Amino acid sequence: MKELSIFVDESGHFGMKTKHSPYYIVSFVFHNQSDDITQPVAFFEEYLSNIGFPNHCVHTEPIIRGESIYEQMSLEERKKIFNSLCRFTKKCPVRHKTFIFRKSDNDSKMQMLGKMSKEISLFVNSQLSYFKSYDSVKLYYDNGQSEITGIMTTVLAPLISNLTFKNATPRDYRLFQVADLLCTIKLTQEKYIDNGKLSRSEQFFFRNYPNFRKNYLSILENLSLN
């Protein structure tokens, strides 16, 4: 039985007037279950254990900013964790599609939700032969935001007849953490495009945009499902 797993993560929230969060990003990671990732997962988890972070669930935006559980870690420690997730992502036979929406392009939350639904629907329709080649399609999401849950159930379910939904968290699956990474990479790119520079924490972490583009943005390009 040919099975496709889809892991969905998002960055941002739907508060339209929040200046510090001008974007909303949704990433889909697609994994053909016939492609074994046991070895990359084992290497990733062994590395995290060896550097002192066994069973660690990676959260990439706080790593860059040195927040939350990463507040007391050195830059070197944070980079080791972040880069290990990047290496894991490159080794995994997965594909992705990441959507970004600018709140400034919309007059209301309802309008932005409409655009999100339309873009995701157009993408799924363009890839219907891909989805239909699988006997089973399982979508994993943590139900973090009801708006995303609504889009998944009202847009994807009618188009992919063999789709089922699984409630899961980033701690449950490493590929969920890959979706989180791709959201963060896309967010960093878009902020640079709009502002012409990296933020202070991004400069500290990535050094400069050419380095970011070469070592991190290339991950998106190599895995993209168009």
Side-chain angles (χ1 to χ4, degrees):
M1 185 174 180
K2 193 176 179 184
E3 181 178 307
L4 177 70
S5 294
I6 306 175
F7 297 86
V8 182
D9 198 22
E10 80 286 321
S11 176
H13 55 78
F14 287 95
M16 299 301 291
K17 296 182 179 180
T18 308
K19 292 183 179 180
H20 71 273
S21 179
Y23 313 95
Y24 196 90
I25 300 173
V26 185
S27 276
F28 294 77
V29 171
F30 307 97
H31 175 223
N32 181 346
Q33 287 295 319
S34 299
D35 295 327
D36 186 17
I37 63 170
T38 303
Q39 191 173 54
V41 168
F43 286 158
F44 179 39
E45 294 185 346
E46 181 180 13
Y47 179 80
L48 288 176
S49 182
N50 288 340
I51 63 173
F53 301 96
N55 304 314
H56 180 65
C57 178
V58 183
H59 297 282
T60 51
E61 284 191 63
I63 284 182
I64 294 171
R65 296 193 297 263
E67 296 175 347
S68 185
I69 60 174
Y70 305 103
E71 186 175 4
Q72 301 303 320
M73 293 184 190
S74 67
L75 175 63
E76 182 181 4
E77 287 176 315
R78 290 187 281 126
K79 278 192 170 184
K80 283 182 178 180
I81 297 172
F82 191 95
N83 290 338
S84 67
L85 180 57
C86 291
R87 288 193 298 271
F88 169 68
T89 301
K90 290 178 181 179
K91 290 178 180 178
C92 282
V94 297
R95 306 293 296 278
H96 92 97
K97 178 65 177 180
T98 299
F99 299 87
I100 185 158
F101 303 93
R102 288 177 172 82
K103 295 179 183 178
S104 59
D105 293 338
N106 301 276
D107 296 326
S108 65
K109 174 181 172 180
M110 185 176 295
Q111 184 181 29
M112 188 168 76
L113 284 170
K115 287 184 179 179
M116 293 173 68
S117 298
K118 183 177 180 179
E119 284 197 29
I120 293 171
S121 176
L122 288 171
F123 165 72
V124 173
N125 272 302
S126 73
Q127 298 292 332
L128 270 183
S129 59
Y130 170 73
F131 294 114
K132 288 182 177 180
S133 68
Y134 291 90
D135 301 300
S136 173
V137 180
K138 295 180 179 179
L139 187 145
Y140 296 83
Y141 182 56
D142 62 1
N143 294 323
Q145 299 201 28
S146 59
E147 294 87 351
I148 297 300
T149 301
I151 290 174
M152 299 302 104
T153 54
T154 60
V155 175
L156 267 65
L159 295 172
I160 306 173
S161 59
N162 55 351
L163 178 67
T164 58
F165 296 92
K166 302 289 183 180
N167 189 13
T169 68
R171 184 170 293 280
D172 298 328
Y173 296 94
R174 291 299 184 184
L175 292 184
F176 228 135
Q177 295 163 49
V178 169
D180 171 80
L181 170 68
L182 300 183
C183 282
T184 296
I185 291 174
K186 186 64 176 176
L187 175 63
T188 303
Q189 179 195 29
E190 292 303 313
K191 288 194 294 183
Y192 181 84
I193 290 172
D194 285 352
N195 302 319
K197 62 181 180 179
L198 298 175
S199 69
R200 181 177 298 180
S201 58
E202 290 163 352
Q203 288 178 20
F204 190 59
F205 195 87
F206 297 117
R207 297 205 318 270
N208 53 58
Y209 190 75
N211 182 65
F212 166 77
R213 183 178 59 225
K214 177 182 177 181
N215 296 306
Y216 303 99
L217 187 57
S218 60
I219 297 173
L220 281 176
E221 296 163 353
N222 293 336
L223 299 179
S224 181
L225 177 64
N226 295 318

